[in-house]
């Protein structure tokens, strides 16, 4: 099993640019979570999907952030326009249906200059 | 509102010693309490977890102690090793919901 796959692993962009982060969950997992990790706020949920449907997006900071899950094997998190305060590590995690366990990907380190 | 409070923020333990990290939660609806281990540049990895119907769970050198009445749980690492040096996060959630994480504890095990 390849685990949760995220790309890119590192992204450096200038303020105002669009950024797209990608995630492939573990095959067969029905739930997908996007978390953000910063020194100040720790690990926080941005949004999560169940069976490709967004269930809780209360953690999405503002309209600049959007997330999609067009099918069971792919999700994107888009930031447009990006700002320096978006600099963080973004993690994707997946979970089998009905399970509490969540499995994290390696993360994408985003730096906005 | 921080729903899961974790302490200490950092911990230094000698090789062979016991590492203890504590967490307290507020939401009595939580029914799953995992601990994650994170190495630099890696994603959090599930280490051990407990449900509130038991007071203790042990897996190898790692033990979770759970006190439902006090709304507290802790991670004990016995015979701590340099390879255990990492950041540890407690978390809590209900079925089918996102994890609420503590702020993390950076453990350093000196050899």
């Amino acid at each position: 099993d390849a685990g949760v796959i995220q790309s890119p692993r590192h992204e450096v962009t200038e303020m105002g640019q669009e950024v797209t982060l990608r995630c492939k969950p573990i095959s067969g997992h029905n739930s997908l979570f996007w978390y953000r990790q910063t020194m100040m706020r720790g690990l926080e949920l941005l949004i999560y999907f169940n069976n490709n449907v967004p269930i809780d997006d209360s953690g999405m900071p503002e309209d600049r952030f959007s997330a999609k899950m067009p099918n069971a094997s792919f999700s994107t998190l888009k930031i447009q326009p990006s700002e320096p305060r978006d600099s963080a590590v973004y993690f994707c995690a997946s979970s089998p249906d009905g399970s509490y366990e969540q499995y994290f990907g390696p993360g994408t380190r985003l730096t906005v200059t | 509102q921080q729903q899961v409070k974790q302490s200490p923020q950092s911990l230094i333990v000698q090789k062979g010693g016991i590492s203890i990290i504590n967490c307290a939660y507020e939401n009595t609806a939580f029914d799953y309490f995992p601990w994650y281990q994170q190495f630099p540049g890696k994603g959090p990895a599930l280490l051990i977890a407990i449900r509130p119907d038991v007071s203790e769970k042990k897996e190898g050198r790692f033990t979770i102690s759970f006190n439902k009445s006090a709304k507290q749980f802790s991670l004990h690492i016995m015979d701590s090793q340099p390879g255990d040096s990492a950041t540890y996060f407690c978390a809590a959630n209900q079925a089918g919901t996102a994890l609420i994480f503590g702020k993390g504890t950076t453990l350093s095990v000196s050899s």
Side-chain angles (χ1 to χ4, degrees):
Chain A
D1 194 332
V4 175
I5 298 173
Q6 292 187 247
S7 65
R9 293 295 313 278
H10 302 273
E11 177 79 39
V12 180
T13 190
E14 292 184 346
M15 181 173 62
Q17 296 298 306
E18 177 180 294
V19 175
T20 299
L21 311 182
R22 297 172 176 80
C23 174
K24 177 179 170 56
I26 295 172
S27 178
H29 284 194
N30 299 79
S31 294
L32 183 140
F33 304 81
W34 283 100
Y35 292 92
R36 180 170 66 177
Q37 185 174 38
T38 61
M39 290 294 292
M40 288 295 295
R41 300 178 66 86
L43 273 160
E44 296 180 299
L45 175 76
L46 296 175
I47 185 170
Y48 90 87
F49 296 85
N50 183 258
N51 292 323
N52 312 334
V53 176
I55 302 300
D56 182 357
D57 65 354
S58 60
M60 296 288 264
E62 49 199 88
D63 292 346
R64 298 186 297 107
F65 285 68
S66 62
K68 295 181 179 180
M69 191 163 187
N71 58 62
S73 60
F74 184 66
S75 177
T76 60
L77 178 68
K78 185 176 294 186
I79 308 172
Q80 166 63 18
S82 59
E83 296 182 2
R85 60 187 168 131
D86 301 330
S87 297
V89 181
Y90 291 81
F91 288 103
C92 175
S94 69
S95 178
D97 202 23
S99 171
Y100 289 89
E101 297 180 358
Q102 296 182 22
Y103 300 88
F104 282 73
T108 295
R109 180 173 293 277
L110 173 65
T111 303
V112 183
T113 61
Chain B
Q1 181 184 11
Q2 184 181 356
Q3 296 192 56
V4 178
K5 296 183 178 180
Q6 183 172 347
S7 63
Q9 186 174 353
S10 62
L11 183 61
I12 299 174
V13 174
Q14 287 201 338
K15 180 181 176 181
I18 302 173
S19 303
I20 302 174
I21 305 171
N22 300 299
C23 281
Y25 63 96
E26 299 171 3
N27 187 345
T28 56
F30 289 149
D31 59 359
Y32 177 71
F33 303 88
W35 285 90
Y36 280 79
Q37 180 188 55
Q38 185 179 28
F39 292 104
K42 305 291 186 182
L46 181 61
L47 187 63
I48 185 173
I50 197 168
R51 301 290 305 278
D53 53 344
V54 297
S55 60
E56 185 175 283
K57 182 175 182 179
K58 183 176 182 180
E59 291 184 0
R61 296 185 294 109
F62 300 91
T63 300
I64 298 179
S65 297
F66 185 81
N67 186 330
K68 187 174 181 178
S69 61
K71 294 189 288 185
Q72 296 176 346
F73 60 110
S74 60
L75 175 68
H76 297 233
I77 306 174
M78 311 300 288
D79 187 26
S80 298
Q81 299 297 312
D84 297 330
S85 298
T87 300
Y88 293 82
F89 295 91
C90 62
N93 73 339
Q94 303 166 253
T97 66
L99 289 163
I100 307 297
F101 285 92
K103 288 294 180 68
T105 296
T106 301
L107 171 65
S108 295
V109 181
S110 60
S111 55

